[in-house]
Amino acid sequence: MKSLQKRIAIYPGSFDPVTFGHIDIIRTAAKMFDKVYVAIANNTGKKPLFNSQERLAFMKQATKSISGVKVEMFNGLIVNFARKKSARAMIRGIRAVSDFDYEFQMALANQKLEGEIHTVFVMPSEDHFYISSRLIKEIAQFGGDVSRFVPPFVESKLRKKLS
Ligand code: PNS
């Protein structure tokens, strides 16, 4: 009998920092795939608040109880990372129509680079729809309460970093 192929997905991003919205998407992806590699971009193109080691550590802690999930850092093109992991799916969270332009462009470019890897858009639950790492950093910067948006260990580091 032919052995069943494992369904492997990657979930790339800068995760600066990880939010409950990201965790929600990872939980959904872990139900859909046998293995999900959360891929933390080392070079994001933006100047991150948290360095890659900090973002990696946050994500590992945030996902340690979700089975089938592994967190790794990547450099260079995401399609190369996906190929190395034998992934056929790339997860991206999509919240609003405003996300779509950028996500659509990226999905098409990635598909041109590697036709065997398909982007799968996952919607966060209603509770997390409006969360973004950018907004959370802004709220924290001005002393707002971000405990509803990020795990406690991220919240305390945010406060320290921005104080
Ligand atoms: O969370 P972000 O910042 O929207 O994530 C974007 C990310 C890191 C997934 C994207 O910039 C990326 O894949 N970078 C790696 C370089 C690459 O492959 N670029 C081509 C994408 S079409």
Side-chain angles (χ1 to χ4, degrees):
M1 198 173 81
K2 211 176 157 191
S3 67
L4 284 175
Q5 245 191 346
K6 276 201 166 178
R7 292 167 306 167
I8 302 169
I10 57 161
Y11 177 37
S14 28
F15 305 112
D16 182 41
V18 58
T19 69
F20 286 140
H22 297 134
I23 299 168
D24 185 51
I25 284 172
I26 295 167
R27 279 189 205 287
T28 304
K31 288 181 200 154
M32 296 163 67
F33 294 91
D34 299 311
K35 183 117 207 155
V36 178
Y37 289 95
V38 180
I40 314 272
N42 191 12
N43 304 308
T44 67
K46 312 165 192 166
K47 186 164 175 0
L49 177 65
F50 293 101
N51 68 38
S52 48
Q53 289 301 335
E54 289 172 308
R55 288 179 281 124
L56 182 83
F58 286 158
M59 186 58 91
K60 280 190 171 167
Q61 173 135 9
T63 57
K64 64 178 185 221
S65 64
I66 312 173
S67 64
V69 172
K70 198 156 188 280
V71 183
E72 289 188 20
M73 187 109 71
F74 79 96
N75 282 293
L77 287 178
I78 190 58
V79 288
N80 292 343
F81 179 85
R83 223 182 273 133
K84 255 188 263 163
K85 299 297 177 193
S86 307
R88 301 291 297 274
M90 184 174 319
I91 307 289
R92 290 291 289 172
I94 203 146
R95 290 159 307 187
V97 177
S98 53
D99 285 345
F100 195 76
D101 234 21
Y102 167 64
E103 293 299 335
F104 196 59
Q105 262 186 21
M106 202 155 71
L108 285 176
N110 280 329
Q111 204 175 45
K112 283 272 178 278
L113 291 169
E114 175 50 86
E116 290 300 314
I117 297 163
H118 303 280
T119 299
V120 176
F121 292 119
V122 174
M123 244 175 76
S125 72
E126 202 185 346
D127 288 350
H128 304 119
F129 220 76
Y130 53 90
I131 306 180
S132 77
S133 298
R134 187 185 62 77
L135 271 185
I136 286 164
K137 282 180 278 190
E138 196 172 301
I139 296 168
Q141 188 182 354
F142 295 111
D145 177 12
V146 292
S147 60
R148 271 172 305 158
F149 310 128
V150 293
F153 52 89
V154 173
E155 188 198 352
S156 63
K157 285 278 167 54
L158 259 175
R159 235 187 282 123
K160 242 186 243 160
K161 189 139 297 209
L162 295 171
S163 64

PDB file of all heavy atoms in Angstrom, residues 12-15 41 44 46 74 76-79 92 102-103 106 109-110 113, ligand 1:
ATOM      1  N   PRO A  12       4.776  31.727   7.440  1.00  0.00           N
ATOM      2  CA  PRO A  12       5.864  32.694   7.587  1.00  0.00           C
ATOM      3  C   PRO A  12       5.376  34.073   8.031  1.00  0.00           C
ATOM      4  O   PRO A  12       4.227  34.449   7.797  1.00  0.00           O
ATOM      5  CB  PRO A  12       6.414  32.782   6.157  1.00  0.00           C
ATOM      6  CG  PRO A  12       5.209  32.576   5.291  1.00  0.00           C
ATOM      7  CD  PRO A  12       4.253  31.686   6.058  1.00  0.00           C
ATOM      8  N   GLY A  13       6.289  34.815   8.642  1.00  0.00           N
ATOM      9  CA  GLY A  13       5.953  36.186   9.006  1.00  0.00           C
ATOM     10  C   GLY A  13       7.066  36.814   9.803  1.00  0.00           C
ATOM     11  O   GLY A  13       8.055  36.150  10.136  1.00  0.00           O
ATOM     12  N   SER A  14       6.892  38.096  10.093  1.00  0.00           N
ATOM     13  CA  SER A  14       7.903  38.725  10.936  1.00  0.00           C
ATOM     14  C   SER A  14       7.535  38.585  12.413  1.00  0.00           C
ATOM     15  O   SER A  14       8.403  38.601  13.265  1.00  0.00           O
ATOM     16  CB  SER A  14       8.135  40.190  10.553  1.00  0.00           C
ATOM     17  OG  SER A  14       7.014  40.770   9.983  1.00  0.00           O
ATOM     18  N   PHE A  15       6.261  38.498  12.718  1.00  0.00           N
ATOM     19  CA  PHE A  15       5.799  38.234  14.088  1.00  0.00           C
ATOM     20  C   PHE A  15       6.512  39.156  15.093  1.00  0.00           C
ATOM     21  O   PHE A  15       7.178  38.692  16.014  1.00  0.00           O
ATOM     22  CB  PHE A  15       6.010  36.753  14.457  1.00  0.00           C
ATOM     23  CG  PHE A  15       5.373  35.798  13.492  1.00  0.00           C
ATOM     24  CD1 PHE A  15       6.142  34.981  12.671  1.00  0.00           C
ATOM     25  CD2 PHE A  15       3.992  35.724  13.380  1.00  0.00           C
ATOM     26  CE1 PHE A  15       5.553  34.116  11.764  1.00  0.00           C
ATOM     27  CE2 PHE A  15       3.386  34.854  12.483  1.00  0.00           C
ATOM     28  CZ  PHE A  15       4.176  34.057  11.673  1.00  0.00           C
ATOM     29  N   ALA A  41      10.882  35.348   9.999  1.00  0.00           N
ATOM     30  CA  ALA A  41      11.806  35.993   9.055  1.00  0.00           C
ATOM     31  C   ALA A  41      12.933  36.685   9.822  1.00  0.00           C
ATOM     32  O   ALA A  41      12.672  37.526  10.683  1.00  0.00           O
ATOM     33  CB  ALA A  41      11.051  37.008   8.210  1.00  0.00           C
ATOM     34  N   THR A  44      13.499  41.077   7.818  1.00  0.00           N
ATOM     35  CA  THR A  44      12.100  41.329   7.471  1.00  0.00           C
ATOM     36  C   THR A  44      11.928  42.426   6.421  1.00  0.00           C
ATOM     37  O   THR A  44      10.859  42.595   5.883  1.00  0.00           O
ATOM     38  CB  THR A  44      11.283  41.752   8.711  1.00  0.00           C
ATOM     39  OG1 THR A  44      11.764  43.021   9.118  1.00  0.00           O
ATOM     40  CG2 THR A  44      11.391  40.767   9.832  1.00  0.00           C
ATOM     41  N   LYS A  46      11.679  45.338   7.180  1.00  0.00           N
ATOM     42  CA  LYS A  46      11.304  46.455   8.047  1.00  0.00           C
ATOM     43  C   LYS A  46      12.307  46.432   9.214  1.00  0.00           C
ATOM     44  O   LYS A  46      13.004  45.445   9.399  1.00  0.00           O
ATOM     45  CB  LYS A  46       9.907  46.253   8.632  1.00  0.00           C
ATOM     46  CG  LYS A  46       8.868  45.854   7.614  1.00  0.00           C
ATOM     47  CD  LYS A  46       7.628  45.318   8.320  1.00  0.00           C
ATOM     48  CE  LYS A  46       6.676  44.642   7.356  1.00  0.00           C
ATOM     49  NZ  LYS A  46       5.643  43.849   8.042  1.00  0.00           N
ATOM     50  N   PHE A  74      14.092  31.748   9.401  1.00  0.00           N
ATOM     51  CA  PHE A  74      14.559  31.538   8.031  1.00  0.00           C
ATOM     52  C   PHE A  74      15.213  32.808   7.494  1.00  0.00           C
ATOM     53  O   PHE A  74      14.921  33.911   7.932  1.00  0.00           O
ATOM     54  CB  PHE A  74      13.433  31.050   7.107  1.00  0.00           C
ATOM     55  CG  PHE A  74      12.490  32.139   6.630  1.00  0.00           C
ATOM     56  CD1 PHE A  74      12.678  32.752   5.397  1.00  0.00           C
ATOM     57  CD2 PHE A  74      11.428  32.549   7.407  1.00  0.00           C
ATOM     58  CE1 PHE A  74      11.818  33.757   4.948  1.00  0.00           C
ATOM     59  CE2 PHE A  74      10.563  33.557   6.974  1.00  0.00           C
ATOM     60  CZ  PHE A  74      10.757  34.155   5.746  1.00  0.00           C
ATOM     61  N   GLY A  76      16.497  34.569   3.614  1.00  0.00           N
ATOM     62  CA  GLY A  76      16.343  34.459   2.162  1.00  0.00           C
ATOM     63  C   GLY A  76      14.901  34.232   1.759  1.00  0.00           C
ATOM     64  O   GLY A  76      13.965  34.615   2.477  1.00  0.00           O
ATOM     65  N   LEU A  77      14.737  33.584   0.616  1.00  0.00           N
ATOM     66  CA  LEU A  77      13.381  33.421   0.064  1.00  0.00           C
ATOM     67  C   LEU A  77      12.582  32.386   0.849  1.00  0.00           C
ATOM     68  O   LEU A  77      13.084  31.307   1.167  1.00  0.00           O
ATOM     69  CB  LEU A  77      13.463  32.977  -1.398  1.00  0.00           C
ATOM     70  CG  LEU A  77      13.889  34.025  -2.421  1.00  0.00           C
ATOM     71  CD1 LEU A  77      13.963  33.398  -3.811  1.00  0.00           C
ATOM     72  CD2 LEU A  77      12.933  35.220  -2.430  1.00  0.00           C
ATOM     73  N   ILE A  78      11.331  32.718   1.077  1.00  0.00           N
ATOM     74  CA  ILE A  78      10.471  31.800   1.827  1.00  0.00           C
ATOM     75  C   ILE A  78      10.184  30.512   1.040  1.00  0.00           C
ATOM     76  O   ILE A  78      10.018  29.454   1.626  1.00  0.00           O
ATOM     77  CB  ILE A  78       9.163  32.514   2.291  1.00  0.00           C
ATOM     78  CG1 ILE A  78       8.390  31.633   3.266  1.00  0.00           C
ATOM     79  CG2 ILE A  78       8.285  32.929   1.130  1.00  0.00           C
ATOM     80  CD1 ILE A  78       9.124  31.218   4.503  1.00  0.00           C
ATOM     81  N   VAL A  79      10.148  30.617  -0.271  1.00  0.00           N
ATOM     82  CA  VAL A  79       9.874  29.387  -1.047  1.00  0.00           C
ATOM     83  C   VAL A  79      11.004  28.363  -0.869  1.00  0.00           C
ATOM     84  O   VAL A  79      10.759  27.157  -0.908  1.00  0.00           O
ATOM     85  CB  VAL A  79       9.641  29.668  -2.557  1.00  0.00           C
ATOM     86  CG1 VAL A  79       8.295  30.334  -2.782  1.00  0.00           C
ATOM     87  CG2 VAL A  79      10.761  30.454  -3.176  1.00  0.00           C
ATOM     88  N   ARG A  92      -1.221  32.153   5.246  1.00  0.00           N
ATOM     89  CA  ARG A  92      -1.168  33.596   5.543  1.00  0.00           C
ATOM     90  C   ARG A  92      -2.510  33.980   6.147  1.00  0.00           C
ATOM     91  O   ARG A  92      -3.561  33.510   5.702  1.00  0.00           O
ATOM     92  CB  ARG A  92      -0.936  34.410   4.264  1.00  0.00           C
ATOM     93  CG  ARG A  92       0.451  34.262   3.675  1.00  0.00           C
ATOM     94  CD  ARG A  92       1.549  34.880   4.503  1.00  0.00           C
ATOM     95  NE  ARG A  92       1.504  36.347   4.486  1.00  0.00           N
ATOM     96  CZ  ARG A  92       2.279  37.110   5.259  1.00  0.00           C
ATOM     97  NH1 ARG A  92       3.114  36.581   6.138  1.00  0.00           N
ATOM     98  NH2 ARG A  92       2.206  38.428   5.174  1.00  0.00           N
ATOM     99  N   TYR A 102      -1.599  43.254  -0.997  1.00  0.00           N
ATOM    100  CA  TYR A 102      -0.239  42.814  -0.677  1.00  0.00           C
ATOM    101  C   TYR A 102      -0.159  41.290  -0.651  1.00  0.00           C
ATOM    102  O   TYR A 102       0.756  40.673  -1.210  1.00  0.00           O
ATOM    103  CB  TYR A 102       0.133  43.432   0.679  1.00  0.00           C
ATOM    104  CG  TYR A 102       1.354  42.886   1.361  1.00  0.00           C
ATOM    105  CD1 TYR A 102       2.614  43.020   0.785  1.00  0.00           C
ATOM    106  CD2 TYR A 102       1.263  42.278   2.627  1.00  0.00           C
ATOM    107  CE1 TYR A 102       3.740  42.553   1.448  1.00  0.00           C
ATOM    108  CE2 TYR A 102       2.387  41.807   3.286  1.00  0.00           C
ATOM    109  CZ  TYR A 102       3.619  41.939   2.688  1.00  0.00           C
ATOM    110  OH  TYR A 102       4.737  41.463   3.342  1.00  0.00           O
ATOM    111  N   GLU A 103      -1.157  40.665  -0.027  1.00  0.00           N
ATOM    112  CA  GLU A 103      -1.141  39.210   0.113  1.00  0.00           C
ATOM    113  C   GLU A 103      -1.278  38.519  -1.247  1.00  0.00           C
ATOM    114  O   GLU A 103      -0.632  37.506  -1.508  1.00  0.00           O
ATOM    115  CB  GLU A 103      -2.282  38.759   1.044  1.00  0.00           C
ATOM    116  CG  GLU A 103      -2.106  39.193   2.479  1.00  0.00           C
ATOM    117  CD  GLU A 103      -0.840  38.621   3.137  1.00  0.00           C
ATOM    118  OE1 GLU A 103      -0.357  37.564   2.707  1.00  0.00           O
ATOM    119  OE2 GLU A 103      -0.334  39.251   4.073  1.00  0.00           O
ATOM    120  N   MET A 106       1.983  38.782  -3.139  1.00  0.00           N
ATOM    121  CA  MET A 106       2.989  37.887  -2.578  1.00  0.00           C
ATOM    122  C   MET A 106       2.675  36.430  -2.961  1.00  0.00           C
ATOM    123  O   MET A 106       3.570  35.672  -3.350  1.00  0.00           O
ATOM    124  CB  MET A 106       3.021  38.044  -1.057  1.00  0.00           C
ATOM    125  CG  MET A 106       4.310  37.588  -0.464  1.00  0.00           C
ATOM    126  SD  MET A 106       4.640  38.391   1.104  1.00  0.00           S
ATOM    127  CE  MET A 106       3.451  37.644   2.147  1.00  0.00           C
ATOM    128  N   ALA A 109       3.570  35.957  -6.621  1.00  0.00           N
ATOM    129  CA  ALA A 109       5.024  35.953  -6.829  1.00  0.00           C
ATOM    130  C   ALA A 109       5.609  34.632  -6.337  1.00  0.00           C
ATOM    131  O   ALA A 109       6.429  34.004  -7.023  1.00  0.00           O
ATOM    132  CB  ALA A 109       5.656  37.125  -6.099  1.00  0.00           C
ATOM    133  N   ASN A 110       5.168  34.192  -5.175  1.00  0.00           N
ATOM    134  CA  ASN A 110       5.682  32.926  -4.633  1.00  0.00           C
ATOM    135  C   ASN A 110       5.309  31.751  -5.535  1.00  0.00           C
ATOM    136  O   ASN A 110       6.088  30.821  -5.710  1.00  0.00           O
ATOM    137  CB  ASN A 110       5.166  32.699  -3.211  1.00  0.00           C
ATOM    138  CG  ASN A 110       5.956  33.506  -2.189  1.00  0.00           C
ATOM    139  OD1 ASN A 110       7.144  33.764  -2.382  1.00  0.00           O
ATOM    140  ND2 ASN A 110       5.308  33.918  -1.124  1.00  0.00           N
ATOM    141  N   LEU A 113       7.613  31.613  -8.367  1.00  0.00           N
ATOM    142  CA  LEU A 113       8.934  31.119  -7.962  1.00  0.00           C
ATOM    143  C   LEU A 113       8.918  29.608  -7.728  1.00  0.00           C
ATOM    144  O   LEU A 113       9.893  28.918  -7.972  1.00  0.00           O
ATOM    145  CB  LEU A 113       9.395  31.818  -6.673  1.00  0.00           C
ATOM    146  CG  LEU A 113       9.743  33.306  -6.792  1.00  0.00           C
ATOM    147  CD1 LEU A 113       9.913  33.929  -5.411  1.00  0.00           C
ATOM    148  CD2 LEU A 113      11.026  33.495  -7.601  1.00  0.00           C
TER     149      LEU A 113
HETATM  150  O1  PNS B   1       4.500  39.392   8.674  1.00  0.00           O
HETATM  151  P1  PNS B   1       4.962  39.955   7.389  1.00  0.00           P
HETATM  152  O2  PNS B   1       5.964  41.056   7.616  1.00  0.00           O
HETATM  153  O3  PNS B   1       3.830  40.406   6.497  1.00  0.00           O
HETATM  154  O4  PNS B   1       5.735  38.773   6.611  1.00  0.00           O
HETATM  155  C1  PNS B   1       6.263  38.967   5.342  1.00  0.00           C
HETATM  156  C2  PNS B   1       7.208  37.817   4.985  1.00  0.00           C
HETATM  157  C3  PNS B   1       8.356  37.774   5.969  1.00  0.00           C
HETATM  158  C4  PNS B   1       6.461  36.511   5.003  1.00  0.00           C
HETATM  159  C5  PNS B   1       7.722  38.103   3.548  1.00  0.00           C
HETATM  160  O5  PNS B   1       8.290  39.366   3.493  1.00  0.00           O
HETATM  161  C6  PNS B   1       8.726  37.064   3.087  1.00  0.00           C
HETATM  162  O6  PNS B   1       8.372  35.971   2.717  1.00  0.00           O
HETATM  163  N1  PNS B   1      10.036  37.428   3.126  1.00  0.00           N
HETATM  164  C7  PNS B   1      11.118  36.550   2.732  1.00  0.00           C
HETATM  165  C8  PNS B   1      11.716  36.962   1.401  1.00  0.00           C
HETATM  166  C9  PNS B   1      10.841  36.479   0.249  1.00  0.00           C
HETATM  167  O7  PNS B   1      10.680  35.311   0.026  1.00  0.00           O
HETATM  168  N2  PNS B   1      10.293  37.465  -0.475  1.00  0.00           N
HETATM  169  C10 PNS B   1       9.443  37.215  -1.601  1.00  0.00           C
HETATM  170  C11 PNS B   1       7.981  37.170  -1.203  1.00  0.00           C
HETATM  171  S1  PNS B   1       7.020  37.214  -2.659  1.00  0.00           S
END
